Amino acid sequence: MLDSTFASQPLIGRQAELQQISRILQDDGDLLLTGVPGSGRQRLIWSAAEQVGARVLRIDCMRATNAARFLELLAEGLLDVFSAPAELELIQRWSAGLPIVLESSLTRRARLTWHSSTDTQWELFQLLLSLPQAMAEWLDCRAVLVFQNFPHIRSWDKQRQWETYLQQEIQRQSRVSYALIATVPGDWVSDIPLPVITLGPLPPGELKPWVVEQMSQQGLDFEPEGHALNLFYSSVQGHPAGAMQLSRRLWLDSCALHPKGLLIQPHHVHRSTLALVEDLSVTFESLILLLPPSQVRVLESLALDPTDSPHARDYIKKHQLSRGGGLQGALAALEQKGLLYGAQYGYQIAMPFLTFWLKHRLA
């Protein structure tokens, strides 16, 4: 059975960001948290909320394909957070006289229902968004509304009516903090004056000690020279989720061949990374097929020849990249998709193991 150490991990590093977010939530503040998938965004919010004793309601805006679906997700999230019998009784009282009904029974999970039409959706949105504040006041607690993939709301909120009202509620509600999660802070950030916390790749000083400690607990130690540990960091590129994946794979491979423990050397890290990449190859192939050729070319160039100046004339000529707006557009699109870090982090490929796979594919 897989060791529980690698099944559900606590926060890796990010202690400065954790304290910053905790202070914001403690002061009834709101925030925008940006970073690539797997960088620890949700874990940070949950850890900070736990520190201040707040309940967390999470909505993935990517799953909200229209207004009706957004309302369903909001209602489901509310009942995930406020599900105790006494809390359901409060919701029942709150809904009296409203076009929202709480259906509850001994055999089925409680749910909020309504007769929805385009005309009533706006009223329902306002009512449901007011419920966390009401519950927090009645229960004398705090709540955090997490909107993951927040920019996706604009895919159906074309007139930005819902987004504008949400901005007003962010300022108005006193017991509820709002945490918006996105990959990058886009142009819309100027419309919502929130502190922005950006998660880049974990520096070696934060990631390496965690790896050494976790592997040591499993009887696995890195060779003293540090070559294996450096190769580990290079393989995961400072990505927390990638570090967990490779740690798990190293442990599994060592259990199969060295059940009594192992001194991890570079060839062990390389073998486990290669095995992981082989498992992910279908995903990577599908990803490349979905990307425009200009973006694929940029990724291939940065994998083979990393640089913090892809706009340099010599680099563009060497790799036959598009000039001007074409290159800038490709870089911006890859950053928006969570595949590439921006200028702040030297245009490093963000998806763990993708660099490794691209090198082997091009070779």
Side-chain angles (χ1 to χ4, degrees), residues 132-145:
Q133 173 73 19
M135 293 296 291
E137 290 175 357
W138 291 333
L139 299 171
D140 192 23
C141 69
R142 295 198 51 79
V144 181
L145 252 64

Side-chain angles (χ1 to χ4, degrees), residues 45-351:
I45 296 296
W46 281 91
S47 299
E50 186 177 14
Q51 282 195 355
V52 302
R55 304 192 187 197
V56 179
L57 190 162
R58 174 181 168 271
I59 307 295
D60 186 354
C61 297
M62 189 70 75
R63 296 174 59 202
T65 53
N66 52 43
R69 181 60 180 148
F70 183 85
L71 291 174
E72 291 174 1
L73 293 172
L74 183 54
E76 290 171 7
L78 284 164
L79 293 186
D80 283 339
V81 175
F82 303 108
S83 58
E87 293 165 354
L88 293 177
E89 186 177 340
L90 287 174
I91 294 176
Q92 185 78 65
R93 256 191 280 165
W94 168 84
S95 64
L98 299 178
I100 299 176
V101 177
L102 177 66
E103 294 183 352
S104 181
S105 70
L106 295 177
T107 58
R108 292 182 56 186
R109 183 179 181 273
R111 61 177 189 154
L112 290 167
T113 63
W114 52 80
H115 297 292
S116 179
S117 67
T118 304
D119 295 335
T120 61
Q121 285 176 348
W122 179 245
E123 180 187 3
L124 292 169
F125 173 55
Q126 293 176 304
L127 289 172
L128 288 174
L129 206 57
S130 71
L131 181 54
Q133 173 73 19
M135 293 296 291
E137 290 175 357
W138 291 333
L139 299 171
D140 192 23
C141 69
R142 295 198 51 79
V144 181
L145 252 64
V146 179
F147 288 95
Q148 187 180 357
N149 300 307
F150 179 75
H152 189 72
I153 194 174
R154 291 191 174 181
S155 65
W156 51 268
D157 183 26
K158 303 295 185 182
Q159 304 301 318
R160 296 171 57 186
Q161 181 185 16
W162 293 49
E163 181 183 340
T164 300
Y165 185 79
L166 185 58
Q167 294 174 27
Q168 295 171 1
E169 289 299 290
I170 289 176
Q171 302 297 324
R172 185 160 46 226
Q173 294 187 0
S174 59
R175 289 272 190 160
V176 180
S177 293
Y178 285 78
L180 311 184
I181 296 181
T183 304
V184 295
D187 296 338
W188 52 272
V189 170
S190 59
D191 300 330
I192 308 177
L194 299 177
V196 180
I197 300 171
T198 299
L199 303 183
L202 277 173
E206 290 192 22
L207 183 58
K208 286 183 178 180
W210 176 86
V211 174
V212 170
E213 179 184 358
Q214 296 302 310
M215 300 308 284
S216 178
Q217 291 177 6
Q218 309 307 313
L220 306 175
D221 297 303
F222 282 90
E223 43 129 17
E225 293 81 6
H227 299 313
L229 187 57
N230 290 335
L231 182 59
F232 183 105
Y233 183 82
S234 176
S235 296
V236 303
Q237 298 177 289
H239 193 277
M244 284 188 249
Q245 283 181 287
L246 187 51
S247 296
R248 185 183 298 114
R249 189 73 196 208
L250 270 169
W251 180 78
L252 287 171
D253 291 345
S254 70
C255 285
L257 300 175
H258 307 277
K260 294 185 179 180
L262 175 70
L263 181 65
I264 301 174
Q265 299 182 34
H267 71 272
H268 296 126
V269 177
H270 179 82
R271 182 189 62 199
S272 294
T273 303
L274 185 59
L276 262 180
V277 170
E278 288 175 350
D279 291 342
L280 293 168
S281 60
V282 174
T283 300
F284 290 151
E285 287 282 3
S286 300
L287 173 65
I288 292 300
L289 288 173
L290 292 172
L291 292 176
S294 61
Q295 296 177 26
V296 174
R297 186 66 181 162
V298 169
L299 284 177
E300 291 175 342
S301 302
L302 291 172
L304 290 174
D305 187 15
T307 179
D308 58 3
S309 303
H311 304 90
R313 181 179 301 176
D314 290 344
Y315 192 85
I316 292 174
K317 183 178 179 181
K318 177 180 179 181
H319 295 284
Q320 300 178 350
L321 299 176
S322 302
R323 294 179 180 274
L327 175 58
Q328 186 57 45
L331 291 169
L334 290 170
E335 187 180 0
Q336 183 67 49
K337 293 170 182 173
L339 299 177
L340 189 70
Y341 291 110
Q344 182 181 359
Y345 301 106
Y347 294 104
Q348 175 182 316
I349 292 178
M351 192 172 187

